[in-house]
Amino acid sequence: MRDRINSLGCDNALVFPPAEETNTSEKYLNVLKAVAGNSFGCIYIASLKTGKLEFISDSPLLFSGLRAKEIEKLGYNFFRKYTRKEDLEILKKVSIYGFKFFECLTPEEKKVHTITYDFHVKYTNSVDVLVNHKVTPIEIDENGYVSKIVCVVSNSLNRNAGNIRVISNTSDAYWKYNHYTGKWSEETKINLKLREIEIIRLYLQGLKIEEIAEQLCVAPSTIKFHRSKLFERIGVKNIIEAISYVITNNLL
């Protein structure tokens, strides 16, 4: 698969052939409505053939203050209108090279891979919001092309826009897109040690170093030692960045 991915060029835009349009399954909607109702994020289903958003859960803070019905009416025009101008290139690269990545996968593989990326959404009378989109194919047409996707939208835990990656639900390997070379590189997720997982989980509960040490029956200096080693391994400077890294990369 590595050879197939690395052979991807950056000269031609990906064009999807006409796909047989089908109605979104009621079971998809029921499940997504239930999940969205208990989440801080947002979920939508989109047709790549029509450019329509067939379902979207309400989360105005992630969509420039607009309600779901307004966004459904705009379809993909929402992103053209409300994405920060300099971030439109990120969406273009996802549309072309992100989905071009899927050409190298079998129909079964397509549905267990997700494209994730960050971009700024313009917000009226407020600062722009950096959001993260995780896009997973849910329908493949008879020619093997992705015809429908589901996207999970949330506040980004990164500092900057971009960060285009393809992650696998069945492997520790993931693919990172280089904006400068236009190539994908294969990388492997870092496996956290048990003590590191324990420390991160207790930090997520709001505990301080002394409280974490008490919970784990060790000295505070031991917690600081493991924390500094974790920072070094994942390349961050503080616990906030460490937590963001761990959550973004699904390491817990």
XYZ file of all heavy atoms in Angstrom, residues 38-129:
763
model
N -25.919 13.960 22.259
C -25.135 13.786 23.483
C -23.670 14.144 23.255
O -22.773 13.611 23.901
C -25.236 12.337 23.965
C -26.632 11.986 24.420
O -27.061 12.335 25.499
N -27.372 11.302 23.550
N -23.432 15.075 22.347
C -22.070 15.432 21.987
C -21.933 16.943 21.896
O -22.888 17.657 21.581
C -21.707 14.793 20.648
O -20.482 15.297 20.168
N -20.707 17.428 22.167
C -20.427 18.855 22.026
C -20.146 19.219 20.575
O -20.086 20.381 20.211
C -19.217 19.247 22.884
C -19.504 19.239 24.354
C -18.949 18.278 25.180
C -20.337 20.185 24.916
C -19.214 18.258 26.538
C -20.617 20.183 26.274
C -20.047 19.217 27.084
N -19.949 18.202 19.743
C -19.607 18.437 18.354
C -20.826 18.445 17.459
O -21.959 18.672 17.888
N -20.582 18.185 16.198
C -21.637 18.187 15.192
C -21.352 17.056 14.210
O -20.193 16.686 13.991
C -21.663 19.529 14.475
S -22.789 19.589 13.062
N -22.397 16.498 13.631
C -22.253 15.422 12.654
C -23.072 15.770 11.420
O -24.201 16.264 11.534
C -22.737 14.081 13.232
C -21.952 13.718 14.492
C -22.612 12.960 12.199
C -22.480 12.501 15.221
N -22.510 15.518 10.239
C -23.315 15.687 9.031
C -23.005 14.592 8.020
O -21.934 13.981 8.036
C -23.145 17.078 8.404
C -21.796 17.391 7.806
C -21.442 16.915 6.541
C -20.885 18.211 8.469
C -20.206 17.227 5.971
C -19.656 18.529 7.915
C -19.328 18.036 6.654
O -18.108 18.346 6.091
N -23.977 14.315 7.154
C -23.818 13.390 6.030
C -23.883 14.217 4.759
O -24.749 15.086 4.614
C -24.926 12.324 6.018
C -24.775 11.386 7.213
C -24.885 11.518 4.726
C -25.877 10.338 7.305
N -22.954 13.976 3.830
C -22.916 14.737 2.586
C -22.815 13.805 1.391
O -22.161 12.762 1.449
C -21.733 15.700 2.589
N -23.472 14.203 0.308
C -23.371 13.492 -0.955
C -22.308 14.161 -1.803
O -22.374 15.371 -2.053
C -24.720 13.518 -1.696
O -24.547 13.100 -3.038
N -21.315 13.397 -2.260
C -20.263 13.974 -3.089
C -20.736 14.205 -4.522
O -20.106 14.941 -5.262
C -19.032 13.055 -3.083
C -18.366 12.833 -1.733
C -17.085 12.023 -1.891
C -18.059 14.152 -1.044
N -21.845 13.577 -4.895
C -22.379 13.770 -6.238
C -23.134 15.086 -6.350
O -22.933 15.853 -7.280
C -23.301 12.617 -6.614
C -23.931 12.798 -7.987
C -24.960 11.724 -8.272
C -25.652 12.004 -9.600
N -26.718 11.015 -9.883
N -23.994 15.353 -5.377
C -24.846 16.540 -5.456
C -24.286 17.740 -4.700
O -24.702 18.873 -4.931
C -26.240 16.223 -4.884
O -26.116 15.924 -3.489
C -26.851 15.017 -5.608
N -23.344 17.489 -3.770
C -22.837 18.585 -2.959
C -23.805 19.012 -1.874
O -23.632 20.057 -1.249
N -24.818 18.179 -1.632
C -25.818 18.512 -0.621
C -25.467 17.876 0.720
O -24.889 16.799 0.779
C -27.199 18.022 -1.060
C -27.759 18.769 -2.268
C -29.153 18.257 -2.599
C -29.751 19.030 -3.789
N -31.109 18.521 -4.133
N -25.839 18.571 1.790
C -25.722 18.023 3.131
C -27.073 17.390 3.455
O -28.065 18.091 3.626
C -25.373 19.116 4.138
C -24.082 19.902 3.836
C -23.821 20.922 4.939
C -22.899 18.970 3.684
N -27.113 16.070 3.518
C -28.382 15.364 3.661
C -28.870 15.315 5.103
O -30.042 15.100 5.362
C -28.241 13.949 3.104
C -27.899 13.940 1.615
C -27.846 12.533 1.050
O -27.952 11.573 1.836
O -27.700 12.407 -0.180
N -27.942 15.478 6.021
C -28.297 15.528 7.442
C -27.234 16.344 8.151
O -26.044 16.234 7.854
C -28.341 14.117 8.042
C -28.341 14.132 9.556
C -29.507 14.344 10.263
C -27.158 13.953 10.266
C -29.500 14.367 11.657
C -27.139 13.975 11.663
C -28.318 14.181 12.352
N -27.659 17.184 9.084
C -26.694 17.917 9.899
C -27.306 18.178 11.266
O -28.471 18.584 11.377
C -26.272 19.244 9.225
C -25.208 19.935 10.065
C -27.452 20.152 8.968
C -24.520 21.077 9.346
N -26.543 17.894 12.310
C -27.026 18.149 13.666
C -26.730 19.606 14.032
O -25.797 20.209 13.513
C -26.345 17.204 14.660
O -24.946 17.379 14.651
N -27.535 20.143 14.923
C -27.397 21.547 15.291
C -26.195 21.780 16.203
O -26.070 21.144 17.249
C -28.656 22.044 15.994
C -29.418 23.046 15.141
O -28.759 23.794 14.407
O -30.660 23.057 15.210
N -25.314 22.678 15.794
C -24.205 23.134 16.639
C -23.728 24.467 16.088
O -22.683 24.553 15.445
C -23.064 22.110 16.640
O -22.072 22.474 17.566
N -24.510 25.527 16.321
C -24.237 26.841 15.723
C -22.826 27.367 15.971
O -22.257 28.058 15.119
C -25.287 27.749 16.371
C -26.380 26.829 16.774
C -25.695 25.558 17.170
N -22.242 27.056 17.139
C -20.927 27.596 17.464
C -19.844 27.084 16.520
O -18.802 27.708 16.359
C -20.562 27.252 18.915
C -21.413 27.919 19.990
C -20.971 27.465 21.378
C -21.336 29.441 19.893
N -20.086 25.929 15.895
C -19.103 25.369 14.966
C -19.395 25.736 13.519
O -18.640 25.397 12.626
C -19.071 23.841 15.108
C -18.609 23.315 16.468
C -18.751 21.795 16.523
C -17.173 23.718 16.754
N -20.509 26.435 13.289
C -20.913 26.780 11.934
C -21.322 28.245 11.823
O -22.403 28.575 11.339
C -22.063 25.878 11.466
C -21.624 24.496 11.070
C -21.688 23.459 11.979
C -21.131 24.243 9.799
C -21.274 22.182 11.631
C -20.720 22.970 9.434
C -20.786 21.938 10.347
N -20.450 29.123 12.310
C -20.625 30.570 12.143
C -21.944 31.088 12.704
O -22.452 32.117 12.259
C -20.520 30.948 10.659
O -19.287 30.517 10.132
N -22.512 30.383 13.673
C -23.755 30.842 14.282
C -25.008 30.463 13.525
O -26.122 30.774 13.969
N -24.873 29.759 12.385
C -26.035 29.373 11.592
C -26.678 28.109 12.158
O -26.011 27.251 12.728
C -25.635 29.126 10.135
C -24.975 30.296 9.389
C -24.711 29.903 7.945
C -25.857 31.539 9.442
N -27.991 27.995 11.961
C -28.706 26.796 12.379
C -28.595 25.732 11.300
O -28.231 25.996 10.154
C -30.178 27.110 12.646
C -30.436 28.258 13.589
C -29.837 28.059 14.969
N -30.265 26.819 15.613
C -30.001 26.528 16.879
N -29.318 27.388 17.629
N -30.402 25.389 17.408
N -28.941 24.498 11.671
C -28.801 23.361 10.754
C -29.560 23.574 9.445
O -29.041 23.271 8.363
C -29.284 22.087 11.446
N -30.786 24.087 9.521
C -31.587 24.279 8.312
C -30.932 25.267 7.355
O -30.977 25.101 6.126
C -32.993 24.768 8.690
C -33.861 23.711 9.355
C -34.133 22.549 8.393
C -35.053 21.517 9.032
N -35.280 20.357 8.128
N -30.303 26.307 7.906
C -29.620 27.289 7.068
C -28.420 26.671 6.365
O -28.154 26.947 5.192
C -29.169 28.479 7.916
C -30.307 29.254 8.564
C -29.805 30.331 9.509
O -29.326 29.982 10.603
O -29.892 31.525 9.145
N -27.701 25.812 7.077
C -26.516 25.172 6.514
C -26.916 24.150 5.454
O -26.279 24.046 4.399
C -25.682 24.503 7.625
C -25.236 25.559 8.635
C -24.464 23.799 7.037
C -24.699 24.981 9.919
N -27.978 23.386 5.724
C -28.458 22.413 4.742
C -28.835 23.104 3.441
O -28.585 22.580 2.347
C -29.672 21.665 5.308
C -29.318 20.633 6.371
C -30.554 19.933 6.907
O -31.640 20.130 6.328
O -30.445 19.195 7.896
N -29.426 24.277 3.539
C -29.827 25.033 2.351
C -28.607 25.481 1.545
O -28.609 25.455 0.312
C -30.670 26.244 2.769
C -31.249 27.019 1.596
C -32.152 28.140 2.091
C -32.743 28.907 0.912
N -33.645 30.009 1.376
N -27.544 25.875 2.242
C -26.331 26.320 1.566
C -25.534 25.155 0.985
O -24.858 25.311 -0.032
C -25.448 27.097 2.552
C -25.902 28.495 2.937
C -25.077 29.007 4.112
C -25.779 29.438 1.740
N -25.601 23.998 1.629
C -24.793 22.865 1.184
C -23.315 23.192 1.287
O -22.874 23.886 2.207
N -22.521 22.718 0.310
C -21.087 22.980 0.328
C -20.761 24.457 0.108
O -19.640 24.889 0.357
C -20.371 22.151 -0.736
C -20.004 20.763 -0.255
C -19.872 19.708 -1.144
C -19.787 20.512 1.101
C -19.531 18.434 -0.703
C -19.456 19.251 1.553
C -19.324 18.216 0.644
O -18.992 16.970 1.093
N -21.745 25.245 -0.340
C -21.512 26.683 -0.484
C -21.233 27.336 0.866
O -20.636 28.416 0.924
C -22.722 27.360 -1.142
C -22.782 27.083 -2.628
O -21.745 26.983 -3.292
N -23.975 26.941 -3.168
N -21.688 26.677 1.947
C -21.380 27.202 3.280
C -19.878 27.341 3.453
O -19.383 28.367 3.949
C -21.939 26.289 4.374
C -21.377 26.607 5.737
C -21.894 27.645 6.494
C -20.277 25.905 6.235
C -21.355 27.968 7.740
C -19.731 26.213 7.473
C -20.268 27.250 8.221
N -19.125 26.304 3.067
C -17.682 26.313 3.262
C -17.009 27.347 2.357
O -16.032 27.979 2.758
C -17.105 24.919 3.013
C -17.678 23.884 3.933
C -18.570 22.929 3.465
C -17.359 23.880 5.282
C -19.121 21.986 4.317
C -17.903 22.948 6.154
C -18.792 22.000 5.658
N -17.515 27.532 1.156
C -16.951 28.549 0.259
C -17.173 29.954 0.816
O -16.339 30.836 0.648
C -17.585 28.430 -1.131
C -17.358 27.084 -1.804
C -17.895 27.082 -3.227
N -17.764 25.777 -3.840
C -18.735 24.871 -3.901
N -19.933 25.154 -3.372
N -18.546 23.701 -4.465
N -18.293 30.137 1.490
C -18.670 31.464 1.981
C -18.097 31.781 3.354
O -17.707 32.926 3.616
C -20.198 31.562 2.027
C -20.718 32.937 2.442
C -22.237 32.991 2.348
C -22.756 34.369 2.735
N -24.246 34.452 2.647
N -17.996 30.775 4.230
C -17.653 31.048 5.622
C -16.271 30.561 6.057
O -15.889 30.767 7.201
C -18.718 30.448 6.546
C -20.021 31.206 6.518
C -21.067 30.801 5.696
C -20.205 32.352 7.294
C -22.269 31.496 5.658
C -21.397 33.053 7.270
C -22.426 32.628 6.445
O -23.607 33.327 6.401
N -15.526 29.918 5.160
C -14.163 29.523 5.503
C -13.232 30.717 5.351
O -13.359 31.491 4.402
C -13.673 28.382 4.590
O -14.514 27.248 4.793
C -12.237 27.994 4.905
N -12.308 30.880 6.295
C -11.323 31.954 6.193
C -10.607 31.839 4.847
O -10.233 30.746 4.416
C -10.321 31.862 7.339
C -9.312 33.004 7.353
C -8.230 32.781 8.388
N -8.703 33.055 9.747
C -7.906 32.990 10.829
N -6.637 32.631 10.686
N -8.389 33.260 12.030
N -10.422 32.962 4.160
C -9.918 32.963 2.794
C -8.637 32.159 2.625
O -8.498 31.348 1.696
C -9.692 34.411 2.333
C -9.281 34.533 0.873
C -9.157 35.996 0.462
C -8.759 36.108 -1.002
N -8.631 37.545 -1.415
N -7.663 32.348 3.533
C -6.381 31.668 3.383
C -6.484 30.167 3.675
O -5.555 29.403 3.360
C -5.317 32.294 4.291
C -5.684 32.361 5.754
C -6.320 33.697 6.128
O -7.078 34.249 5.298
O -6.056 34.179 7.241
N -7.599 29.720 4.255
C -7.778 28.299 4.551
C -8.522 27.561 3.444
O -8.645 26.326 3.492
C -8.527 28.117 5.872
C -7.662 28.449 7.077
O -6.479 28.776 6.876
O -8.167 28.388 8.219
N -9.027 28.281 2.460
C -9.739 27.623 1.358
C -8.824 26.656 0.614
O -9.274 25.638 0.090
C -10.295 28.676 0.388
C -11.527 29.439 0.884
C -11.845 30.595 -0.059
C -12.731 28.503 1.008
N -7.527 26.956 0.584
C -6.573 26.075 -0.083
C -6.491 24.720 0.630
O -6.272 23.689 -0.008
C -5.188 26.735 -0.112
C -4.142 25.971 -0.920
C -4.470 25.907 -2.398
O -5.252 26.749 -2.882
O -3.932 24.995 -3.070
N -6.678 24.730 1.946
C -6.672 23.479 2.706
C -7.843 22.599 2.275
O -7.679 21.400 2.019
C -6.752 23.768 4.218
C -5.483 24.479 4.684
C -6.973 22.469 5.011
C -5.581 25.016 6.094
N -9.024 23.195 2.154
C -10.202 22.432 1.733
C -10.027 21.917 0.313
O -10.472 20.808 -0.016
C -11.457 23.306 1.831
C -11.795 23.873 3.209
C -13.186 24.486 3.197
C -11.714 22.797 4.280
N -9.384 22.707 -0.525
C -9.134 22.279 -1.905
C -8.223 21.055 -1.928
O -8.459 20.094 -2.676
C -8.504 23.427 -2.698
C -8.203 23.091 -4.152
C -7.592 24.276 -4.874
C -7.246 23.924 -6.301
N -6.615 25.078 -7.016
N -7.180 21.082 -1.115
C -6.240 19.953 -1.081
C -6.908 18.699 -0.522
O -6.634 17.591 -0.985
C -5.007 20.329 -0.265
C -4.111 21.332 -0.985
C -2.880 21.692 -0.173
C -1.988 22.643 -0.965
N -0.786 23.050 -0.212
N -7.780 18.885 0.470
C -8.513 17.734 1.000
C -9.404 17.147 -0.078
O -9.464 15.919 -0.278
C -9.364 18.144 2.227
C -10.322 17.021 2.601
C -8.465 18.491 3.397
N -10.106 18.021 -0.803
C -11.024 17.583 -1.848
C -10.308 16.831 -2.955
O -10.810 15.825 -3.471
C -11.756 18.799 -2.427
O -12.598 18.408 -3.494
N -9.104 17.300 -3.307
C -8.372 16.682 -4.414
C -7.514 15.519 -3.921
O -7.742 14.361 -4.261
C -7.496 17.714 -5.136
C -8.374 18.814 -5.754
C -6.659 17.035 -6.226
C -7.587 19.952 -6.360
N -6.523 15.827 -3.086
C -5.528 14.826 -2.715
C -5.977 13.924 -1.571
O -5.534 12.778 -1.473
C -4.207 15.518 -2.365
C -3.771 16.468 -3.451
C -3.544 17.815 -3.170
C -3.630 16.036 -4.755
C -3.168 18.699 -4.174
C -3.260 16.909 -5.758
C -3.035 18.249 -5.466
O -2.674 19.111 -6.461
N -6.860 14.444 -0.713
C -7.375 13.605 0.350
C -8.197 12.460 -0.220
O -7.982 11.288 0.107
N -9.134 12.772 -1.110
C -9.954 11.729 -1.696
C -9.198 10.936 -2.757
O -9.534 9.789 -3.041
C -11.246 12.318 -2.252
C -12.248 12.637 -1.181
C -12.398 13.927 -0.716
C -13.011 11.630 -0.610
C -13.300 14.219 0.300
C -13.914 11.909 0.404
C -14.065 13.204 0.864
N -8.154 11.542 -3.324
C -7.305 10.804 -4.251
C -6.601 9.657 -3.516
O -6.340 8.592 -4.091
C -6.276 11.749 -4.874
C -5.604 11.225 -6.141
C -4.691 12.291 -6.719
C -4.039 11.827 -8.020
N -5.015 11.703 -9.109
N -6.322 9.890 -2.244
C -5.734 8.848 -1.399
C -6.598 7.587 -1.421
O -6.096 6.462 -1.462
C -5.600 9.377 0.034
C -4.974 8.414 1.009
C -3.652 8.537 1.376
C -5.718 7.381 1.568
C -3.070 7.654 2.288
C -5.154 6.496 2.475
C -3.828 6.635 2.833
N -7.924 7.783 -1.397
C -8.836 6.655 -1.328
C -8.837 5.815 -2.594
O -9.305 4.673 -2.583
C -10.257 7.153 -1.014
C -10.462 7.474 0.429
C -10.229 8.753 0.904
C -10.869 6.497 1.324
C -10.403 9.054 2.246
C -11.052 6.794 2.672
C -10.808 8.071 3.133
N -8.331 6.379 -3.698
C -8.240 5.596 -4.926
C -7.335 4.382 -4.740
O -7.453 3.393 -5.466
C -7.705 6.459 -6.072
C -8.692 7.475 -6.608
C -8.145 8.182 -7.836
O -6.930 8.474 -7.876
O -8.926 8.417 -8.769
N -6.413 4.460 -3.791
C -5.455 3.376 -3.559
C -6.013 2.284 -2.656
O -5.323 1.291 -2.397
C -4.176 3.945 -2.931
S -3.378 5.204 -3.932
N -7.228 2.470 -2.155
C -7.799 1.532 -1.193
C -8.912 0.702 -1.813
O -9.566 1.138 -2.770
C -8.360 2.297 0.011
C -7.415 3.269 0.728
C -8.163 3.991 1.843
C -6.197 2.543 1.274
N -9.114 -0.474 -1.278
C -10.237 -1.305 -1.698
C -11.520 -0.732 -1.101
O -11.470 0.074 -0.166
C -10.058 -2.749 -1.200
O -10.144 -2.753 0.240
C -8.709 -3.323 -1.637
N -12.698 -1.123 -1.626
C -13.959 -0.629 -1.047
C -14.058 -0.897 0.454
O -14.566 -0.057 1.203
C -15.023 -1.413 -1.832
C -14.387 -1.658 -3.164
C -12.933 -1.909 -2.855
N -13.557 -2.056 0.896
C -13.603 -2.378 2.332
C -12.677 -1.463 3.125
O -13.010 -1.010 4.221
C -13.205 -3.840 2.552
C -14.183 -4.865 1.986
C -14.084 -5.011 0.476
O -13.037 -4.610 -0.094
O -15.044 -5.502 -0.139
N -11.477 -1.187 2.574
C -10.510 -0.331 3.255
C -10.996 1.109 3.353
O -10.729 1.797 4.345
C -9.171 -0.362 2.515
C -8.419 -1.668 2.640
C -7.168 -1.706 1.781
O -7.148 -1.046 0.718
O -6.208 -2.388 2.164
N -11.715 1.569 2.338
C -12.197 2.959 2.325
C -13.009 3.281 3.575
O -12.891 4.361 4.160
C -13.035 3.222 1.074
C -12.253 3.331 -0.225
C -13.201 3.579 -1.395
C -12.447 3.882 -2.687
N -11.683 2.734 -3.185
N -13.846 2.355 4.001
C -14.771 2.617 5.095
C -14.134 2.545 6.472
O -14.789 2.842 7.474
C -15.964 1.661 5.010
C -16.851 1.927 3.794
C -18.081 1.036 3.803
C -18.978 1.338 2.606
N -20.209 0.504 2.606
N -12.862 2.152 6.545
C -12.179 2.124 7.849
C -11.037 3.138 7.890
O -10.163 3.069 8.746
C -11.644 0.702 8.186
C -12.796 -0.257 8.361
C -10.662 0.213 7.127
N -11.061 4.082 6.940
C -10.077 5.166 6.940
C -10.799 6.505 7.043
O -11.895 6.678 6.497
C -9.221 5.137 5.674
C -8.151 4.079 5.693
N -8.435 2.753 5.493
C -6.810 4.169 5.916
C -7.315 2.049 5.576
N -6.321 2.883 5.832
N -10.196 7.436 7.743
C -10.792 8.750 7.983
C -9.805 9.855 7.642
O -8.628 9.784 8.010
C -11.200 8.881 9.472
O -12.227 7.929 9.761
C -11.709 10.284 9.780
N -10.284 10.871 6.921
C -9.472 12.063 6.657
C -9.771 13.086 7.746
O -10.933 13.391 8.016
C -9.810 12.685 5.291
C -9.611 11.677 4.165
C -8.954 13.921 5.037
C -10.041 12.204 2.808
N -8.738 13.613 8.379
C -8.919 14.631 9.408
C -8.102 15.869 9.055
O -6.981 15.750 8.552
C -8.525 14.091 10.806
O -8.606 15.151 11.765
C -7.126 13.513 10.809
N -8.667 17.055 9.286
C -7.995 18.302 8.927
C -8.618 19.457 9.712
O -9.729 19.343 10.246
C -8.104 18.572 7.418
C -9.515 18.502 6.877
C -10.296 19.645 6.728
C -10.088 17.283 6.524
C -11.591 19.581 6.236
C -11.380 17.200 6.038
C -12.127 18.347 5.893
O -13.424 18.277 5.423
N -7.883 20.577 9.788
C -8.323 21.746 10.550
C -8.391 22.980 9.647
O -7.530 23.166 8.784
C -7.348 22.035 11.698
C -7.188 20.856 12.639
O -8.194 20.370 13.156
O -6.036 20.412 12.836
N -9.392 23.819 9.876
C -9.487 25.093 9.158
C -10.334 26.072 9.974
O -11.067 25.668 10.880
C -10.074 24.910 7.754
C -11.502 24.418 7.738
C -12.561 25.299 7.570
C -11.783 23.062 7.878
C -13.879 24.845 7.556
C -13.098 22.590 7.863
C -14.137 23.492 7.701
N -10.207 27.351 9.648
C -10.930 28.394 10.382
C -12.279 28.700 9.722
O -12.362 28.873 8.510
C -10.121 29.689 10.428
C -8.921 29.629 11.310
N -7.679 29.237 10.854
C -8.762 29.912 12.641
C -6.806 29.293 11.843
N -7.431 29.682 12.940
N -13.313 28.765 10.561
C -14.632 29.184 10.115
C -14.859 30.612 10.598
O -14.656 30.916 11.775
C -15.727 28.248 10.681
C -17.107 28.804 10.385
C -15.592 26.852 10.098
N -15.258 31.478 9.667
C -15.495 32.878 10.026
C -16.752 32.990 10.883
O -17.755 32.325 10.644
C -15.650 33.725 8.750
C -14.381 33.812 7.930
C -14.536 34.746 6.740
C -15.423 34.130 5.680
N -15.448 34.964 4.440
N -16.660 33.832 11.895
C -17.761 33.978 12.849
C -18.112 35.458 12.976
O -17.266 36.262 13.341
C -17.359 33.397 14.211
C -18.525 33.008 15.081
C -18.997 31.699 15.102
C -19.159 33.959 15.879
C -20.069 31.339 15.911
C -20.227 33.608 16.678
C -20.677 32.288 16.690
O -21.743 31.951 17.477
N -19.354 35.820 12.673
C -19.795 37.212 12.704
C -19.659 37.808 14.104
O -20.075 37.195 15.088
C -21.257 37.322 12.252
O -21.399 36.694 10.978
C -21.673 38.791 12.146
N -19.047 38.984 14.183
C -18.875 39.721 15.439
C -18.065 38.969 16.490
O -18.233 39.174 17.697
C -20.248 40.099 16.036
C -21.069 40.967 15.108
O -20.525 41.823 14.421
N -22.360 40.740 15.066
N -17.184 38.057 16.049
C -16.347 37.332 16.987
C -15.098 36.847 16.264
O -14.936 37.060 15.064
C -17.113 36.139 17.578
O -16.331 35.489 18.563
N -14.204 36.194 17.010
C -12.993 35.678 16.394
C -13.335 34.440 15.566
O -14.305 33.737 15.846
C -11.939 35.310 17.454
C -11.497 36.539 18.210
C -12.480 34.261 18.415
N -12.534 34.165 14.538
C -12.729 32.965 13.737
C -12.477 31.731 14.595
O -11.649 31.753 15.512
C -11.769 32.956 12.544
C -12.041 34.101 11.572
O -13.128 34.706 11.673
O -11.166 34.393 10.735
N -13.205 30.659 14.311
C -13.115 29.424 15.096
C -12.337 28.370 14.313
O -12.658 28.089 13.155
C -14.518 28.883 15.434
C -14.411 27.590 16.226
C -15.318 29.920 16.205
